[in-house]
Coordinates of all heavy atoms in Angstrom, one line a residue:
M1 N -83.0 279.7 66.6 CA -83.4 278.9 67.7 C -82.6 279.4 69.0 O -81.4 279.5 69.0 CB -83.0 277.4 67.4 CG -83.0 276.6 68.6 SD -82.4 274.9 68.3 CE -83.9 274.1 68.2
F2 N -83.3 279.7 70.0 CA -82.7 280.1 71.3 C -82.8 279.0 72.3 O -83.7 278.2 72.3 CB -83.5 281.3 71.9 CG -83.3 282.6 71.1 CD1 -84.2 283.0 70.2 CD2 -82.2 283.4 71.4 CE1 -84.1 284.2 69.5 CE2 -82.0 284.5 70.7 CZ -83.0 285.0 69.7
K3 N -81.8 278.9 73.1 CA -81.8 277.9 74.2 C -81.0 278.6 75.4 O -80.2 279.5 75.2 CB -81.2 276.6 73.8 CG -79.7 276.6 73.5 CD -79.3 275.2 73.2 CE -77.8 275.1 73.0 NZ -77.3 273.7 72.7
Q4 N -81.3 278.1 76.5 CA -80.7 278.6 77.7 C -79.5 277.8 78.1 O -79.6 276.5 78.2 CB -81.7 278.6 78.9 CG -82.8 279.5 78.8 CD -82.4 281.0 79.2 OE1 -81.9 281.6 78.3 NE2 -82.7 281.4 80.4
V5 N -78.4 278.4 78.3 CA -77.2 277.7 78.7 C -76.7 278.5 79.9 O -76.3 279.7 79.8 CB -76.1 277.7 77.6 CG1 -74.8 277.1 78.2 CG2 -76.6 277.0 76.4
S6 N -76.7 277.9 81.1 CA -76.3 278.5 82.3 C -77.0 279.9 82.6 O -76.4 280.9 82.9 CB -74.7 278.8 82.3 OG -74.0 277.6 82.2
G7 N -78.3 279.9 82.3 CA -79.1 281.1 82.5 C -78.9 282.2 81.4 O -79.5 283.2 81.5
V8 N -78.1 281.9 80.4 CA -77.9 282.9 79.3 C -78.5 282.4 78.0 O -78.3 281.2 77.6 CB -76.4 283.1 79.1 CG1 -76.2 284.1 77.9 CG2 -75.7 283.6 80.4
A9 N -79.3 283.2 77.4 CA -79.9 282.8 76.1 C -78.9 282.8 75.0 O -78.1 283.7 74.9 CB -81.0 283.7 75.7
T10 N -78.8 281.7 74.3 CA -77.8 281.6 73.2 C -78.6 281.3 71.9 O -79.7 280.9 71.9 CB -76.8 280.5 73.4 OG1 -77.5 279.2 73.5 CG2 -76.0 280.7 74.7
V11 N -77.9 281.6 70.8 CA -78.5 281.4 69.5 C -77.8 280.2 68.8 O -76.6 280.2 68.8 CB -78.3 282.6 68.6 CG1 -78.9 282.4 67.2 CG2 -79.0 283.8 69.2
A12 N -78.5 279.2 68.3 CA -77.9 278.1 67.6 C -77.4 278.6 66.3 O -78.0 279.4 65.6 CB -78.9 277.0 67.4
L13 N -76.2 278.1 66.0 CA -75.5 278.5 64.8 C -76.0 277.6 63.6 O -75.9 276.4 63.7 CB -74.0 278.3 64.9 CG -73.1 278.8 63.8 CD1 -73.2 280.3 63.6 CD2 -71.6 278.5 64.2
K14 N -76.7 278.2 62.6 CA -77.2 277.5 61.5 C -76.3 277.7 60.3 O -76.3 278.8 59.7 CB -78.6 278.0 61.2 CG -79.6 277.8 62.3 CD -79.9 276.3 62.5 CE -81.0 276.1 63.5 NZ -81.3 274.8 63.9
V15 N -75.6 276.7 60.0 CA -74.6 276.9 58.9 C -74.7 275.6 58.0 O -74.8 274.5 58.5 CB -73.2 277.0 59.4 CG1 -72.1 277.0 58.3 CG2 -73.1 278.3 60.3
D16 N -74.6 275.8 56.7 CA -74.5 274.7 55.8 C -73.2 274.0 56.0 O -72.1 274.6 55.8 CB -74.6 275.2 54.4 CG -74.5 274.1 53.3 OD1 -74.0 273.0 53.6 OD2 -74.9 274.3 52.2
P17 N -73.1 272.7 56.5 CA -71.9 272.1 56.8 C -70.9 272.0 55.6 O -69.7 272.1 55.7 CB -72.3 270.7 57.3 CG -73.7 270.7 57.6 CD -74.3 271.9 56.8
G18 N -71.5 271.8 54.4 CA -70.7 271.7 53.2 C -70.0 273.1 52.9 O -68.8 273.1 52.6
M19 N -70.7 274.2 53.1 CA -70.1 275.5 52.9 C -69.1 275.8 54.0 O -68.0 276.4 53.7 CB -71.2 276.6 53.0 CG -72.1 276.5 51.8 SD -71.3 276.7 50.2 CE -70.8 278.4 50.3
L20 N -69.3 275.4 55.2 CA -68.3 275.6 56.3 C -67.1 274.8 56.0 O -65.9 275.3 56.2 CB -68.9 275.2 57.6 CG -68.1 275.6 58.9 CD1 -67.8 277.1 58.9 CD2 -68.9 275.3 60.1
E21 N -67.2 273.6 55.5 CA -66.1 272.7 55.2 C -65.3 273.3 54.0 O -64.1 273.4 54.0 CB -66.5 271.3 54.8 CG -65.4 270.3 54.6 CD -64.5 270.1 55.7 OE1 -65.0 270.1 56.9 OE2 -63.3 270.0 55.5
Q22 N -66.0 273.9 53.0 CA -65.4 274.6 51.9 C -64.6 275.8 52.4 O -63.5 276.0 51.9 CB -66.5 275.0 50.9 CG -65.9 275.6 49.6 CD -67.0 275.9 48.6 OE1 -68.2 275.4 48.7 NE2 -66.7 276.7 47.6
F23 N -65.2 276.5 53.3 CA -64.5 277.7 53.9 C -63.2 277.2 54.6 O -62.2 277.8 54.4 CB -65.5 278.4 54.9 CG -64.8 279.4 55.7 CD1 -64.4 280.7 55.2 CD2 -64.5 279.2 57.1 CE1 -63.8 281.6 55.9 CE2 -63.9 280.2 57.8 CZ -63.5 281.4 57.3
A24 N -63.3 276.1 55.4 CA -62.2 275.6 56.1 C -61.1 275.2 55.1 O -59.9 275.5 55.3 CB -62.6 274.4 56.9
R25 N -61.4 274.6 54.0 CA -60.4 274.2 53.0 C -59.8 275.4 52.4 O -58.5 275.5 52.1 CB -61.0 273.3 51.9 CG -61.2 271.9 52.4 CD -61.5 271.0 51.2 NE -62.7 271.4 50.4 CZ -63.9 271.0 50.6 NH1 -64.2 270.2 51.6 NH2 -64.9 271.5 49.9
A26 N -60.6 276.4 52.1 CA -60.0 277.7 51.5 C -59.1 278.4 52.4 O -58.0 278.9 52.0 CB -61.2 278.6 51.1
V27 N -59.5 278.5 53.7 CA -58.6 279.2 54.6 C -57.3 278.4 54.9 O -56.2 279.0 54.9 CB -59.4 279.4 56.0 CG1 -58.5 279.9 57.1 CG2 -60.5 280.4 55.7
A28 N -57.4 277.1 54.9 CA -56.2 276.2 55.1 C -55.3 276.4 53.9 O -54.1 276.4 54.0 CB -56.6 274.8 55.3
G29 N -55.9 276.5 52.7 CA -55.1 276.7 51.5 C -54.4 278.0 51.5 O -53.2 278.1 51.1
A30 N -55.1 279.0 51.9 CA -54.4 280.4 52.0 C -53.2 280.3 53.0 O -52.2 280.9 52.8 CB -55.4 281.4 52.5
A31 N -53.4 279.6 54.1 CA -52.3 279.4 55.1 C -51.1 278.7 54.5 O -50.0 279.1 54.7 CB -52.8 278.7 56.3
R32 N -51.4 277.7 53.7 CA -50.3 277.0 53.0 C -49.6 277.9 52.1 O -48.3 277.8 52.0 CB -50.8 275.7 52.3 CG -51.1 274.5 53.2 CD -51.3 273.3 52.4 NE -52.5 273.4 51.5 CZ -53.8 273.2 51.9 NH1 -54.0 272.9 53.2 NH2 -54.7 273.3 51.0
E33 N -50.3 278.7 51.3 CA -49.7 279.6 50.3 C -48.8 280.6 51.0 O -47.8 281.0 50.5 CB -50.8 280.2 49.5 CG -51.4 279.3 48.5 CD -52.4 279.9 47.6 OE1 -52.4 281.1 47.4 OE2 -53.3 279.2 47.0
I34 N -49.2 281.1 52.2 CA -48.4 282.1 52.9 C -47.1 281.5 53.3 O -46.1 282.2 53.3 CB -49.2 282.5 54.2 CG1 -50.4 283.4 53.7 CG2 -48.3 283.3 55.1 CD1 -51.3 283.8 54.9
T35 N -47.0 280.2 53.6 CA -45.7 279.6 54.0 C -44.7 279.6 52.8 O -43.5 279.4 53.0 CB -45.9 278.1 54.5 OG1 -46.4 277.3 53.4 CG2 -46.8 278.1 55.7
E36 N -45.2 279.8 51.6 CA -44.4 279.8 50.4 C -43.9 281.2 50.0 O -43.1 281.4 49.1 CB -45.1 279.2 49.2 CG -45.4 277.7 49.5 CD -46.3 277.1 48.4 OE1 -46.5 277.8 47.3 OE2 -46.8 276.0 48.6
V37 N -44.3 282.2 50.8 CA -43.9 283.6 50.5 C -42.4 283.8 50.9 O -42.0 283.4 52.0 CB -44.8 284.6 51.2 CG1 -44.2 286.0 51.1 CG2 -46.2 284.5 50.7
D38 N -41.6 284.3 49.9 CA -40.2 284.6 50.2 C -40.0 286.0 50.5 O -40.0 286.9 49.7 CB -39.4 284.2 49.0 CG -37.9 284.5 49.1 OD1 -37.4 284.7 50.3 OD2 -37.2 284.6 48.1
L39 N -39.9 286.3 51.8 CA -39.6 287.7 52.2 C -38.1 288.0 52.3 O -37.7 289.1 52.1 CB -40.2 287.9 53.6 CG -41.6 288.3 53.7 CD1 -42.0 288.6 55.1 CD2 -42.0 289.4 52.8
S40 N -37.3 287.0 52.5 CA -35.9 287.2 52.8 C -35.1 287.7 51.6 O -34.2 288.6 51.7 CB -35.2 286.0 53.4 OG -35.3 284.9 52.4
T41 N -35.4 287.2 50.4 CA -34.6 287.6 49.2 C -34.7 289.1 48.9 O -33.6 289.7 48.8 CB -35.1 286.8 48.0 OG1 -34.9 285.4 48.2 CG2 -34.3 287.2 46.7
P42 N -35.9 289.7 48.9 CA -35.9 291.2 48.6 C -35.1 292.0 49.7 O -34.4 293.0 49.4 CB -37.3 291.6 48.6 CG -38.1 290.3 48.4 CD -37.2 289.2 48.9
F43 N -35.2 291.6 50.9 CA -34.5 292.3 52.0 C -33.0 292.1 51.9 O -32.2 293.0 52.1 CB -35.0 291.9 53.4 CG -36.4 292.5 53.7 CD1 -37.5 291.7 53.8 CD2 -36.5 293.9 54.0 CE1 -38.7 292.3 54.1 CE2 -37.7 294.4 54.3 CZ -38.8 293.6 54.3
A44 N -32.6 290.9 51.6 CA -31.2 290.5 51.4 C -30.6 291.3 50.3 O -29.5 291.9 50.4 CB -31.0 289.1 51.2
E45 N -31.3 291.5 49.2 CA -30.8 292.2 48.0 C -30.7 293.7 48.4 O -29.9 294.4 47.8 CB -31.7 292.0 46.8 CG -31.6 290.6 46.3 CD -32.6 290.2 45.2 OE1 -33.6 291.1 45.0 OE2 -32.6 289.1 44.7
S46 N -31.6 294.2 49.2 CA -31.6 295.6 49.6 C -30.5 296.0 50.6 O -30.1 297.2 50.7 CB -32.9 296.0 50.2 OG -34.0 295.8 49.3
Q47 N -30.0 295.0 51.3 CA -29.0 295.3 52.4 C -27.8 296.0 51.9 O -27.2 296.8 52.6 CB -28.6 294.0 53.1 CG -29.6 293.5 54.1 CD -29.1 292.3 54.8 OE1 -28.9 291.3 54.2 NE2 -28.9 292.4 56.1
T48 N -27.3 295.7 50.7 CA -26.1 296.4 50.2 C -26.4 297.6 49.3 O -25.5 298.1 48.7 CB -25.3 295.3 49.4 OG1 -26.1 294.8 48.3 CG2 -24.9 294.2 50.3
A49 N -27.6 298.0 49.2 CA -28.0 299.1 48.3 C -27.4 300.4 48.7 O -27.1 301.2 47.8 CB -29.5 299.2 48.2
A50 N -27.2 300.6 49.9 CA -26.7 301.9 50.4 C -25.6 301.7 51.4 O -25.8 301.9 52.6 CB -27.8 302.8 50.9
S51 N -24.4 301.3 51.0 CA -23.4 301.0 51.9 C -23.0 302.3 52.7 O -23.1 303.4 52.2 CB -22.1 300.5 51.2 OG -21.7 301.4 50.2
G52 N -22.6 302.1 53.9 CA -22.2 303.2 54.8 C -23.4 303.8 55.5 O -23.3 304.8 56.2
T53 N -24.6 303.2 55.3 CA -25.8 303.7 56.0 C -26.3 302.5 56.9 O -25.7 301.5 57.0 CB -26.9 304.0 55.0 OG1 -27.4 302.9 54.4 CG2 -26.4 305.0 54.0
E54 N -27.3 302.8 57.6 CA -28.0 301.9 58.5 C -29.0 301.0 57.8 O -29.7 300.3 58.4 CB -28.6 302.6 59.7 CG -27.6 303.2 60.6 CD -28.2 303.9 61.8 OE1 -29.4 303.7 62.1 OE2 -27.5 304.7 62.5
L55 N -29.1 301.1 56.5 CA -30.1 300.4 55.7 C -30.0 298.9 56.0 O -31.0 298.2 56.1 CB -30.0 300.7 54.2 CG -31.0 300.1 53.3 CD1 -32.4 300.5 53.7 CD2 -30.8 300.3 51.9
S56 N -28.8 298.4 56.1 CA -28.6 296.9 56.3 C -29.3 296.5 57.6 O -30.0 295.5 57.6 CB -27.1 296.6 56.3 OG -27.0 295.2 56.6
D57 N -29.1 297.2 58.7 CA -29.7 296.9 59.9 C -31.3 297.0 59.8 O -32.0 296.2 60.4 CB -29.2 297.8 61.1 CG -27.7 297.5 61.3 OD1 -27.3 296.4 61.0 OD2 -27.1 298.4 61.9
I58 N -31.7 298.0 59.1 CA -33.1 298.2 59.0 C -33.7 297.1 58.2 O -34.8 296.6 58.5 CB -33.4 299.6 58.3 CG1 -33.0 300.7 59.3 CG2 -34.9 299.7 57.9 CD1 -33.0 302.1 58.6
C59 N -33.0 296.6 57.1 CA -33.5 295.5 56.3 C -33.7 294.2 57.2 O -34.6 293.5 57.0 CB -32.6 295.3 55.1 SG -32.8 296.5 53.8
V60 N -32.7 294.0 58.0 CA -32.8 292.8 58.9 C -33.9 292.9 59.8 O -34.7 291.9 60.0 CB -31.4 292.6 59.7 CG1 -31.6 291.5 60.7 CG2 -30.3 292.3 58.7
A61 N -34.1 294.0 60.4 CA -35.2 294.2 61.4 C -36.6 294.1 60.6 O -37.5 293.5 61.1 CB -35.1 295.5 62.1
A62 N -36.7 294.7 59.5 CA -37.9 294.7 58.7 C -38.2 293.2 58.2 O -39.4 292.8 58.3 CB -37.8 295.6 57.5
C63 N -37.2 292.5 57.8 CA -37.4 291.1 57.4 C -37.9 290.3 58.5 O -38.8 289.5 58.4 CB -36.1 290.6 56.8 SG -36.2 288.9 56.2
D64 N -37.2 290.4 59.7 CA -37.7 289.7 60.9 C -39.1 290.0 61.2 O -39.9 289.1 61.6 CB -36.7 290.0 62.1 CG -35.4 289.4 61.9 OD1 -35.2 288.5 61.0 OD2 -34.5 289.8 62.6
A65 N -39.5 291.3 61.2 CA -40.9 291.7 61.5 C -41.8 291.1 60.5 O -42.9 290.6 60.9 CB -41.0 293.2 61.6
G66 N -41.5 291.2 59.3 CA -42.4 290.6 58.2 C -42.6 289.1 58.3 O -43.7 288.6 58.2
I67 N -41.5 288.4 58.6 CA -41.6 287.0 58.8 C -42.4 286.6 60.0 O -43.3 285.7 59.9 CB -40.2 286.3 58.9 CG1 -39.5 286.4 57.5 CG2 -40.2 284.9 59.4 CD1 -38.0 286.0 57.5
T68 N -42.3 287.3 61.1 CA -43.1 287.1 62.3 C -44.5 287.4 62.0 O -45.4 286.6 62.4 CB -42.6 288.0 63.4 OG1 -41.2 287.6 63.7 CG2 -43.4 287.8 64.7
A69 N -44.8 288.4 61.3 CA -46.2 288.8 60.9 C -46.8 287.7 60.1 O -48.0 287.3 60.3 CB -46.3 290.1 60.2
L70 N -46.1 287.2 59.1 CA -46.6 286.1 58.2 C -46.8 284.8 59.0 O -47.8 284.1 58.8 CB -45.7 285.9 57.0 CG -45.8 286.9 55.9 CD1 -44.9 286.6 54.7 CD2 -47.3 287.1 55.4
Q71 N -45.9 284.5 59.9 CA -46.1 283.3 60.7 C -47.3 283.4 61.6 O -48.1 282.4 61.7 CB -44.8 283.1 61.6 CG -43.6 282.6 60.8 CD -42.4 282.6 61.7 OE1 -42.2 283.3 62.7 NE2 -41.4 281.8 61.3
N72 N -47.5 284.6 62.2 CA -48.7 284.8 63.0 C -50.0 284.7 62.2 O -51.0 284.0 62.6 CB -48.7 286.1 63.7 CG -47.7 286.1 64.9 OD1 -47.3 285.0 65.4 ND2 -47.3 287.3 65.3
L73 N -50.0 285.3 61.0 CA -51.1 285.2 60.1 C -51.4 283.7 59.7 O -52.6 283.3 59.7 CB -50.9 286.0 58.9 CG -52.0 286.0 57.8 CD1 -53.4 286.5 58.4 CD2 -51.6 286.9 56.6
C74 N -50.4 283.0 59.3 CA -50.5 281.6 59.0 C -51.1 280.8 60.1 O -52.0 280.0 59.9 CB -49.2 281.1 58.5 SG -49.2 279.4 57.9
L75 N -50.6 281.0 61.3 CA -51.1 280.3 62.5 C -52.5 280.6 62.7 O -53.3 279.7 63.0 CB -50.2 280.7 63.7 CG -50.7 280.0 65.0 CD1 -50.6 278.5 65.0 CD2 -49.8 280.6 66.2
R76 N -52.9 281.9 62.6 CA -54.3 282.3 62.9 C -55.2 281.6 61.8 O -56.2 281.1 62.2 CB -54.4 283.8 62.8 CG -55.8 284.4 62.9 CD -56.6 284.1 64.2 NE -55.8 284.5 65.3 CZ -56.2 285.5 66.1 NH1 -57.3 286.1 65.9 NH2 -55.5 285.8 67.2
L77 N -54.8 281.7 60.6 CA -55.6 281.1 59.5 C -55.8 279.6 59.7 O -56.9 279.0 59.5 CB -55.1 281.4 58.1 CG -55.2 282.8 57.6 CD1 -54.5 283.0 56.3 CD2 -56.7 283.2 57.5
S78 N -54.7 278.9 60.1 CA -54.7 277.5 60.3 C -55.7 277.1 61.4 O -56.4 276.1 61.4 CB -53.3 276.9 60.6 OG -52.5 277.1 59.5
E79 N -55.7 277.9 62.5 CA -56.5 277.6 63.6 C -58.0 277.9 63.3 O -58.9 277.1 63.7 CB -56.1 278.5 64.9 CG -54.8 277.9 65.4 CD -54.3 278.7 66.6 OE1 -54.8 279.9 66.9 OE2 -53.4 278.2 67.3
V80 N -58.3 279.0 62.5 CA -59.6 279.2 62.1 C -60.1 278.1 61.2 O -61.3 277.6 61.3 CB -59.7 280.6 61.3 CG1 -61.0 280.7 60.6 CG2 -59.5 281.7 62.3
A81 N -59.3 277.6 60.3 CA -59.6 276.5 59.4 C -59.9 275.2 60.3 O -60.9 274.5 60.0 CB -58.5 276.2 58.4
E82 N -59.1 275.0 61.3 CA -59.4 273.8 62.1 C -60.7 273.9 62.9 O -61.4 273.0 63.0 CB -58.2 273.7 63.1 CG -58.2 272.5 64.0 CD -57.0 272.3 64.9 OE1 -55.9 272.6 64.4 OE2 -57.2 272.0 66.1
I83 N -61.0 275.1 63.4 CA -62.3 275.3 64.1 C -63.4 275.1 63.1 O -64.4 274.4 63.4 CB -62.3 276.7 64.8 CG1 -61.3 276.7 66.0 CG2 -63.7 277.1 65.2 CD1 -61.1 278.1 66.5
A84 N -63.3 275.7 62.0 CA -64.4 275.6 61.0 C -64.6 274.2 60.5 O -65.7 273.7 60.4 CB -64.1 276.5 59.8
H85 N -63.5 273.5 60.3 CA -63.6 272.1 59.9 C -64.2 271.2 61.0 O -65.1 270.4 60.7 CB -62.2 271.5 59.6 CG -62.1 270.1 59.3 ND1 -62.6 269.6 58.1 CD2 -61.7 269.0 60.0 CE1 -62.5 268.2 58.1 NE2 -62.0 267.9 59.2
G86 N -63.8 271.4 62.2 CA -64.4 270.7 63.3 C -65.9 271.0 63.6 O -66.7 270.1 63.9
T87 N -66.2 272.3 63.3 CA -67.6 272.7 63.6 C -68.5 272.2 62.5 O -69.7 272.0 62.7 CB -67.6 274.2 63.7 OG1 -66.7 274.6 64.7 CG2 -69.0 274.7 64.0
A88 N -68.0 272.0 61.3 CA -68.8 271.6 60.1 C -69.6 270.3 60.4 O -70.7 270.1 59.9 CB -68.0 271.4 58.9
G89 N -69.0 269.4 61.2 CA -69.6 268.1 61.5 C -70.4 268.1 62.8 O -71.0 267.1 63.2
N90 N -70.4 269.2 63.5 CA -71.1 269.3 64.8 C -72.3 270.3 64.7 O -72.1 271.5 64.6 CB -70.1 269.9 65.9 CG -70.7 269.9 67.2 OD1 -71.9 269.7 67.4 ND2 -69.9 270.2 68.2
Y91 N -73.5 269.7 64.7 CA -74.7 270.5 64.4 C -75.2 271.2 65.7 O -76.2 271.9 65.6 CB -75.8 269.6 63.8 CG -75.3 269.0 62.5 CD1 -75.0 267.6 62.4 CD2 -75.1 269.8 61.4 CE1 -74.6 267.1 61.3 CE2 -74.7 269.2 60.2 CZ -74.4 267.8 60.1 OH -74.0 267.3 59.0
D92 N -74.6 270.9 66.8 CA -75.1 271.5 68.1 C -74.3 272.6 68.6 O -74.4 273.0 69.8 CB -75.3 270.4 69.1 CG -76.3 269.4 68.8 OD1 -77.3 269.8 68.2 OD2 -76.2 268.2 69.1
V93 N -73.4 273.2 67.8 CA -72.6 274.3 68.2 C -73.4 275.6 68.2 O -74.1 275.9 67.2 CB -71.4 274.5 67.3 CG1 -70.6 275.7 67.6 CG2 -70.5 273.2 67.3
T94 N -73.4 276.3 69.3 CA -74.1 277.6 69.3 C -73.2 278.7 68.8 O -72.0 278.5 68.7 CB -74.5 277.9 70.8 OG1 -73.3 278.2 71.5 CG2 -75.4 276.9 71.4
E95 N -73.8 279.8 68.4 CA -73.0 280.9 68.0 C -72.0 281.3 69.1 O -70.9 281.6 68.8 CB -73.9 282.1 67.6 CG -73.2 283.3 67.1 CD -74.1 284.4 66.7 OE1 -75.3 284.4 67.0 OE2 -73.6 285.4 66.1
T96 N -72.5 281.3 70.3 CA -71.6 281.7 71.4 C -70.4 280.8 71.5 O -69.3 281.2 71.7 CB -72.4 281.7 72.7 OG1 -73.5 282.5 72.6 CG2 -71.5 282.1 73.9
D97 N -70.6 279.4 71.4 CA -69.5 278.5 71.4 C -68.5 278.7 70.3 O -67.3 278.7 70.5 CB -70.1 277.0 71.3 CG -70.9 276.6 72.4 OD1 -70.8 277.2 73.5 OD2 -71.7 275.7 72.2
F98 N -69.0 279.0 69.1 CA -68.2 279.2 67.9 C -67.3 280.5 68.1 O -66.1 280.5 67.9 CB -69.0 279.3 66.7 CG -68.2 279.4 65.4 CD1 -67.6 278.3 64.9 CD2 -68.1 280.6 64.7 CE1 -66.8 278.3 63.7 CE2 -67.4 280.6 63.5 CZ -66.7 279.5 63.0
V99 N -68.0 281.5 68.6 CA -67.3 282.8 68.8 C -66.2 282.6 69.9 O -65.1 283.1 69.8 CB -68.3 283.9 69.2 CG1 -67.5 285.2 69.7 CG2 -69.1 284.3 68.0
E100 N -66.5 281.8 71.0 CA -65.6 281.5 72.0 C -64.4 280.8 71.5 O -63.2 281.1 71.8 CB -66.2 280.8 73.2 CG -67.1 281.6 74.1 CD -67.8 280.8 75.2 OE1 -67.3 279.6 75.4 OE2 -68.7 281.3 75.8
M101 N -64.6 279.8 70.6 CA -63.5 279.1 70.0 C -62.6 280.0 69.2 O -61.4 279.9 69.3 CB -64.0 278.0 69.1 CG -64.5 276.8 69.8 SD -65.0 275.5 68.6 CE -66.7 275.8 68.4
L102 N -63.2 281.0 68.5 CA -62.4 281.9 67.7 C -61.6 282.9 68.7 O -60.4 283.2 68.4 CB -63.2 282.7 66.8 CG -63.8 281.9 65.6 CD1 -64.8 282.9 64.8 CD2 -62.8 281.3 64.7
N103 N -62.3 283.3 69.7 CA -61.6 284.2 70.7 C -60.5 283.5 71.5 O -59.6 284.2 72.0 CB -62.6 284.8 71.7 CG -63.5 285.8 71.0 OD1 -63.2 286.4 70.0 ND2 -64.7 285.9 71.5
E104 N -60.5 282.2 71.6 CA -59.5 281.5 72.3 C -58.3 281.2 71.5 O -57.3 280.5 72.0 CB -60.1 280.2 72.9 CG -61.1 280.4 74.0 CD -61.8 279.2 74.5 OE1 -61.5 278.1 74.0 OE2 -62.6 279.3 75.4
L105 N -58.2 281.6 70.3 CA -57.0 281.4 69.5 C -55.8 281.9 70.2 O -55.8 283.1 70.6 CB -57.2 282.0 68.1 CG -58.2 281.5 67.2 CD1 -58.3 282.3 65.9 CD2 -58.0 280.0 66.9
D106 N -54.8 281.1 70.3 CA -53.6 281.5 71.0 C -52.5 281.9 70.0 O -51.8 281.0 69.5 CB -53.1 280.4 72.0 CG -51.9 280.8 72.8 OD1 -51.7 282.0 73.0 OD2 -51.2 279.9 73.2
V107 N -52.4 283.1 69.6 CA -51.4 283.6 68.6 C -50.4 284.4 69.3 O -50.7 285.4 70.0 CB -52.1 284.4 67.5 CG1 -51.1 284.9 66.5 CG2 -53.2 283.6 66.9
P108 N -49.1 284.1 69.2 CA -48.0 284.8 69.9 C -48.0 286.3 69.4 O -48.3 286.6 68.2 CB -46.8 284.1 69.4 CG -47.1 283.0 68.6 CD -48.6 283.0 68.4
Q109 N -47.7 287.1 70.3 CA -47.6 288.6 69.9 C -46.2 288.9 69.3 O -45.2 288.4 69.7 CB -47.8 289.4 71.2 CG -49.2 289.2 71.8 CD -50.3 289.7 70.9 OE1 -50.1 290.6 70.1 NE2 -51.4 289.0 70.9

């Protein structure tokens, strides 16, 4: 179904609301599971593996980078789940609107 919005043709997003809600729950579950990942223990155990080298500093930097990456991934998944959950009950969302919501995700760099 096409409709004009501000002079631009858009396509209505046709999605089974139940499937979209199921997707939202699955993505939210994945985000929750990510918060349980323990990155610090393996890096902490590796810090003393090669005394007299820079391995300890490298382990700290790698651990910090890994934790930041997982936090960003968790945030992104949570926001996608929230958008999908909110969209599941809204039958008038266009594909353009949905894509804009995904593009507006504010994830720290």
Side-chain angles (χ1 to χ4, degrees):
M1 163 190 262
F2 289 96
K3 68 179 185 178
Q4 291 282 83
V5 177
S6 300
V8 176
T10 61
V11 178
L13 186 61
K14 300 289 185 185
V15 176
D16 177 341
M19 291 299 292
L20 191 55
E21 185 62 39
Q22 184 177 345
F23 170 75
R25 283 192 305 270
V27 172
R32 279 190 303 276
E33 288 182 22
I34 288 171
T35 64
E36 297 173 10
V37 172
D38 175 20
L39 279 185
S40 61
T41 299
F43 284 109
E45 292 171 352
S46 300
Q47 281 184 297
T48 59
S51 57
T53 68
E54 295 180 13
L55 183 61
S56 179
D57 295 337
I58 292 168
C59 286
V60 170
C63 183
D64 290 345
I67 288 171
T68 299
L70 284 180
Q71 288 172 335
N72 286 340
L73 178 59
C74 184
L75 178 60
R76 174 63 56 113
L77 289 174
S78 296
E79 289 179 344
V80 168
E82 185 177 319
I83 289 169
H85 175 73
T87 305
N90 183 354
Y91 301 110
D92 293 327
V93 175
T94 66
E95 180 179 13
T96 303
D97 294 337
F98 188 72
V99 169
E100 283 178 16
M101 284 186 264
L102 292 177
N103 287 335
E104 289 174 1
L105 294 177
D106 184 26
V107 179
Q109 301 293 327

